[in-house]
């Protein structure tokens, strides 16, 4: 049975290496910031998850104890990486694109990042700064 878990840990480490390499290569070689965003948020996150799962399996089988730290790190990483990518994409849209350059959303409404409605977080500080000349 040890051989099975050794092969499983090895396979997870190889998979993590492949995803890590693909994520790193994409981060360096893709031409635009929006396309470059996919590499670390998807491939590299899967690579990190595979390393952490290999650690869980290794310590559970060979160490004789189950460690939940790696599982929690994996869960946190899988939850935060897409949100981080979304925030970076929204910042890029605000800085690089005008409303006319954005493609249609297909819902009849404009993009949420370019909406005329104030956001829930907006306390009016931007308009006060603009009108008061600060």
């Amino acid at each position: 049975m040890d051989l099975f878990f050794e092969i499983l840990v090895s396979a997870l480490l190889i998979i993590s290496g492949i995803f890590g390499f693909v994520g790193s290569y994409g981060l360096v070689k893709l031409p635009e910031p929006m396309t470059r965003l996919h590499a670390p948020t998807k491939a590299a996150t899967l690579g990190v998850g595979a390393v952490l799962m290999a650690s869980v399996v290794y310590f559970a089988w060979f160490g004789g104890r189950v460690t939940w730290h790696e599982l929690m790190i994996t869960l946190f990483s899988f939850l935060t990486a897409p949100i981080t990518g979304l925030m970076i994409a929204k910042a890029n849209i605000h800085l690089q694109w005008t409303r006319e350059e954005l493609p249609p959303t297909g819902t009849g409404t404009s993009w949420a990042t370019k909406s005329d409605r104030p956001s829930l977080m907006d306390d009016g500080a931007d308009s006060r700064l603009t009108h008061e000349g600060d």
Side-chain angles (χ1 to χ4, degrees):
M1 199 64 171
D2 285 347
L3 179 64
F4 172 75
F5 286 104
E6 288 175 356
I7 292 172
L8 180 63
V9 169
S10 300
L12 286 170
L13 290 175
I14 290 170
I15 289 169
S16 72
I18 291 170
F19 276 116
F21 176 74
V22 168
S24 301
Y25 187 77
L27 184 64
V28 172
K29 288 295 183 179
L30 289 174
E32 300 172 356
M34 294 296 273
T35 56
R36 237 180 276 146
L37 190 61
H38 289 285
T41 58
K42 293 177 180 61
T45 302
L46 288 175
V48 169
V51 166
L52 292 169
M53 288 299 103
S55 177
V56 167
V57 170
Y58 178 81
F59 284 110
W61 187 256
F62 296 106
R65 59 186 169 97
V66 177
T67 58
W68 296 105
H69 299 101
E70 292 92 346
L71 193 61
M72 295 304 292
I73 293 169
T74 303
L75 181 67
F76 182 74
S77 177
F78 282 2
L79 288 176
T80 58
I83 295 170
T84 304
L86 176 68
M87 292 298 133
I88 292 171
K90 282 187 166 196
N92 187 24
I93 287 172
H94 272 288
L95 294 175
Q96 302 289 327
W97 296 39
T98 64
R99 185 181 300 208
E100 293 78 26
E101 292 174 329
L102 292 172
T105 59
T107 61
T109 59
S110 63
W111 286 66
T113 57
K114 293 286 188 178
S115 176
D116 290 333
R117 292 181 295 173
S119 81
L120 296 174
M121 303 289 287
D122 188 14
D123 64 347
D126 292 340
S127 64
R128 284 195 306 267
L129 289 174
T130 306
H131 295 300
E132 295 172 4
D134 290 337

mmCIF file of all heavy atoms in Angstrom, residues 106-127:
data_model
loop_
_atom_site.group_PDB
_atom_site.id
_atom_site.type_symbol
_atom_site.label_atom_id
_atom_site.label_comp_id
_atom_site.label_asym_id
_atom_site.label_seq_id
_atom_site.Cartn_x
_atom_site.Cartn_y
_atom_site.Cartn_z
ATOM 1 N N GLY A 106 -24.523 41.856 -23.223
ATOM 2 C CA GLY A 106 -25.532 40.888 -23.608
ATOM 3 C C GLY A 106 -26.730 40.873 -22.687
ATOM 4 O O GLY A 106 -27.661 40.100 -22.872
ATOM 5 N N THR A 107 -26.727 41.732 -21.667
ATOM 6 C CA THR A 107 -27.849 41.770 -20.740
ATOM 7 C C THR A 107 -28.644 43.058 -20.857
ATOM 8 O O THR A 107 -29.627 43.225 -20.147
ATOM 9 C CB THR A 107 -27.347 41.636 -19.295
ATOM 10 O OG1 THR A 107 -26.479 42.740 -19.004
ATOM 11 C CG2 THR A 107 -26.615 40.326 -19.090
ATOM 12 N N GLY A 108 -28.214 43.977 -21.698
ATOM 13 C CA GLY A 108 -28.910 45.249 -21.825
ATOM 14 C C GLY A 108 -28.464 46.289 -20.815
ATOM 15 O O GLY A 108 -28.936 47.405 -20.817
ATOM 16 N N THR A 109 -27.564 45.923 -19.940
ATOM 17 C CA THR A 109 -27.027 46.873 -18.969
ATOM 18 C C THR A 109 -25.548 47.076 -19.256
ATOM 19 O O THR A 109 -24.926 46.289 -19.962
ATOM 20 C CB THR A 109 -27.190 46.350 -17.533
ATOM 21 O OG1 THR A 109 -26.495 45.108 -17.419
ATOM 22 C CG2 THR A 109 -28.647 46.146 -17.186
ATOM 23 N N SER A 110 -25.010 48.145 -18.696
ATOM 24 C CA SER A 110 -23.591 48.394 -18.910
ATOM 25 C C SER A 110 -22.759 47.570 -17.931
ATOM 26 O O SER A 110 -23.278 46.924 -17.028
ATOM 27 C CB SER A 110 -23.295 49.877 -18.730
ATOM 28 O OG SER A 110 -23.575 50.256 -17.396
ATOM 29 N N TRP A 111 -21.488 47.619 -18.142
ATOM 30 C CA TRP A 111 -20.566 46.907 -17.254
ATOM 31 C C TRP A 111 -20.650 47.504 -15.864
ATOM 32 O O TRP A 111 -20.740 48.720 -15.698
ATOM 33 C CB TRP A 111 -19.140 47.040 -17.784
ATOM 34 C CG TRP A 111 -18.886 46.203 -18.985
ATOM 35 C CD1 TRP A 111 -19.441 46.346 -20.218
ATOM 36 C CD2 TRP A 111 -18.029 45.088 -19.060
ATOM 37 N NE1 TRP A 111 -18.975 45.396 -21.067
ATOM 38 C CE2 TRP A 111 -18.092 44.606 -20.386
ATOM 39 C CE3 TRP A 111 -17.205 44.449 -18.155
ATOM 40 C CZ2 TRP A 111 -17.364 43.509 -20.810
ATOM 41 C CZ3 TRP A 111 -16.470 43.367 -18.581
ATOM 42 C CH2 TRP A 111 -16.567 42.903 -19.897
ATOM 43 N N ALA A 112 -20.602 46.671 -14.873
ATOM 44 C CA ALA A 112 -20.726 47.141 -13.491
ATOM 45 C C ALA A 112 -19.572 48.047 -13.098
ATOM 46 O O ALA A 112 -19.752 48.981 -12.321
ATOM 47 C CB ALA A 112 -20.802 45.952 -12.531
ATOM 48 N N THR A 113 -18.403 47.814 -13.660
ATOM 49 C CA THR A 113 -17.265 48.650 -13.298
ATOM 50 C C THR A 113 -17.349 50.029 -13.924
ATOM 51 O O THR A 113 -16.682 50.946 -13.458
ATOM 52 C CB THR A 113 -15.949 48.000 -13.728
ATOM 53 O OG1 THR A 113 -15.995 47.764 -15.122
ATOM 54 C CG2 THR A 113 -15.723 46.713 -12.989
ATOM 55 N N LYS A 114 -18.163 50.192 -14.956
ATOM 56 C CA LYS A 114 -18.315 51.491 -15.618
ATOM 57 C C LYS A 114 -19.729 52.029 -15.447
ATOM 58 O O LYS A 114 -20.201 52.817 -16.241
ATOM 59 C CB LYS A 114 -18.002 51.351 -17.114
ATOM 60 C CG LYS A 114 -16.566 51.023 -17.434
ATOM 61 C CD LYS A 114 -15.698 52.234 -17.219
ATOM 62 C CE LYS A 114 -14.289 51.960 -17.717
ATOM 63 N NZ LYS A 114 -13.435 53.123 -17.579
ATOM 64 N N SER A 115 -20.429 51.620 -14.454
ATOM 65 C CA SER A 115 -21.808 52.019 -14.251
ATOM 66 C C SER A 115 -21.893 53.463 -13.773
ATOM 67 O O SER A 115 -20.974 53.981 -13.133
ATOM 68 C CB SER A 115 -22.457 51.091 -13.224
ATOM 69 O OG SER A 115 -23.758 51.522 -12.947
ATOM 70 N N ASP A 116 -23.036 54.106 -14.071
ATOM 71 C CA ASP A 116 -23.274 55.465 -13.597
ATOM 72 C C ASP A 116 -23.783 55.483 -12.161
ATOM 73 O O ASP A 116 -23.717 56.490 -11.487
ATOM 74 C CB ASP A 116 -24.313 56.159 -14.487
ATOM 75 C CG ASP A 116 -23.752 56.440 -15.859
ATOM 76 O OD1 ASP A 116 -22.515 56.595 -15.973
ATOM 77 O OD2 ASP A 116 -24.540 56.500 -16.816
ATOM 78 N N ARG A 117 -24.309 54.353 -11.731
ATOM 79 C CA ARG A 117 -24.836 54.292 -10.376
ATOM 80 C C ARG A 117 -23.700 54.300 -9.366
ATOM 81 O O ARG A 117 -22.650 53.698 -9.606
ATOM 82 C CB ARG A 117 -25.667 53.024 -10.190
ATOM 83 C CG ARG A 117 -26.942 53.030 -11.005
ATOM 84 C CD ARG A 117 -27.723 51.799 -10.770
ATOM 85 N NE ARG A 117 -26.936 50.658 -11.270
ATOM 86 C CZ ARG A 117 -27.253 49.407 -11.111
ATOM 87 N NH1 ARG A 117 -28.325 49.100 -10.426
ATOM 88 N NH2 ARG A 117 -26.522 48.448 -11.608
ATOM 89 N N PRO A 118 -23.882 54.964 -8.226
ATOM 90 C CA PRO A 118 -22.819 54.919 -7.208
ATOM 91 C C PRO A 118 -22.738 53.530 -6.592
ATOM 92 O O PRO A 118 -23.738 52.838 -6.471
ATOM 93 C CB PRO A 118 -23.289 55.944 -6.167
ATOM 94 C CG PRO A 118 -24.746 56.074 -6.395
ATOM 95 C CD PRO A 118 -25.001 55.783 -7.838
ATOM 96 N N SER A 119 -21.552 53.151 -6.251
ATOM 97 C CA SER A 119 -21.388 51.837 -5.647
ATOM 98 C C SER A 119 -21.799 51.889 -4.182
ATOM 99 O O SER A 119 -21.978 52.952 -3.593
ATOM 100 C CB SER A 119 -19.944 51.360 -5.774
ATOM 101 O OG SER A 119 -19.152 51.938 -4.780
ATOM 102 N N LEU A 120 -21.937 50.716 -3.611
ATOM 103 C CA LEU A 120 -22.309 50.650 -2.206
ATOM 104 C C LEU A 120 -21.208 51.203 -1.313
ATOM 105 O O LEU A 120 -21.466 51.674 -0.210
ATOM 106 C CB LEU A 120 -22.613 49.204 -1.818
ATOM 107 C CG LEU A 120 -23.811 48.587 -2.524
ATOM 108 C CD1 LEU A 120 -23.923 47.114 -2.161
ATOM 109 C CD2 LEU A 120 -25.082 49.312 -2.158
ATOM 110 N N MET A 121 -19.981 51.151 -1.812
ATOM 111 C CA MET A 121 -18.839 51.614 -1.025
ATOM 112 C C MET A 121 -18.589 53.115 -1.205
ATOM 113 O O MET A 121 -17.774 53.689 -0.524
ATOM 114 C CB MET A 121 -17.583 50.849 -1.426
ATOM 115 C CG MET A 121 -17.705 49.354 -1.293
ATOM 116 S SD MET A 121 -17.730 48.801 0.390
ATOM 117 C CE MET A 121 -16.039 49.049 0.818
ATOM 118 N N ASP A 122 -19.300 53.751 -2.142
ATOM 119 C CA ASP A 122 -19.048 55.149 -2.453
ATOM 120 C C ASP A 122 -19.731 56.042 -1.427
ATOM 121 O O ASP A 122 -20.936 56.025 -1.266
ATOM 122 C CB ASP A 122 -19.577 55.452 -3.859
ATOM 123 C CG ASP A 122 -19.178 56.834 -4.310
ATOM 124 O OD1 ASP A 122 -18.299 57.439 -3.667
ATOM 125 O OD2 ASP A 122 -19.744 57.296 -5.314
ATOM 126 N N ASP A 123 -18.931 56.834 -0.744
ATOM 127 C CA ASP A 123 -19.501 57.752 0.227
ATOM 128 C C ASP A 123 -19.536 59.170 -0.310
ATOM 129 O O ASP A 123 -19.805 60.109 0.423
ATOM 130 C CB ASP A 123 -18.711 57.692 1.525
ATOM 131 C CG ASP A 123 -17.280 58.166 1.357
ATOM 132 O OD1 ASP A 123 -16.841 58.306 0.191
ATOM 133 O OD2 ASP A 123 -16.607 58.396 2.367
ATOM 134 N N GLY A 124 -19.227 59.342 -1.605
ATOM 135 C CA GLY A 124 -19.263 60.662 -2.221
ATOM 136 C C GLY A 124 -17.965 61.425 -2.090
ATOM 137 O O GLY A 124 -17.901 62.599 -2.443
ATOM 138 N N ALA A 125 -16.921 60.804 -1.605
ATOM 139 C CA ALA A 125 -15.654 61.506 -1.421
ATOM 140 C C ALA A 125 -15.062 61.948 -2.752
ATOM 141 O O ALA A 125 -14.483 63.034 -2.853
ATOM 142 C CB ALA A 125 -14.661 60.619 -0.675
ATOM 143 N N ASP A 126 -15.226 61.138 -3.799
ATOM 144 C CA ASP A 126 -14.678 61.516 -5.102
ATOM 145 C C ASP A 126 -15.353 62.768 -5.647
ATOM 146 O O ASP A 126 -14.685 63.661 -6.152
ATOM 147 C CB ASP A 126 -14.833 60.366 -6.097
ATOM 148 C CG ASP A 126 -13.963 59.192 -5.730
ATOM 149 O OD1 ASP A 126 -12.989 59.378 -4.969
ATOM 150 O OD2 ASP A 126 -14.255 58.074 -6.204
ATOM 151 N N SER A 127 -16.666 62.841 -5.547
ATOM 152 C CA SER A 127 -17.348 64.022 -6.077
ATOM 153 C C SER A 127 -17.046 65.248 -5.236
ATOM 154 O O SER A 127 -16.941 66.353 -5.758
ATOM 155 C CB SER A 127 -18.860 63.771 -6.148
ATOM 156 O OG SER A 127 -19.382 63.592 -4.855
#
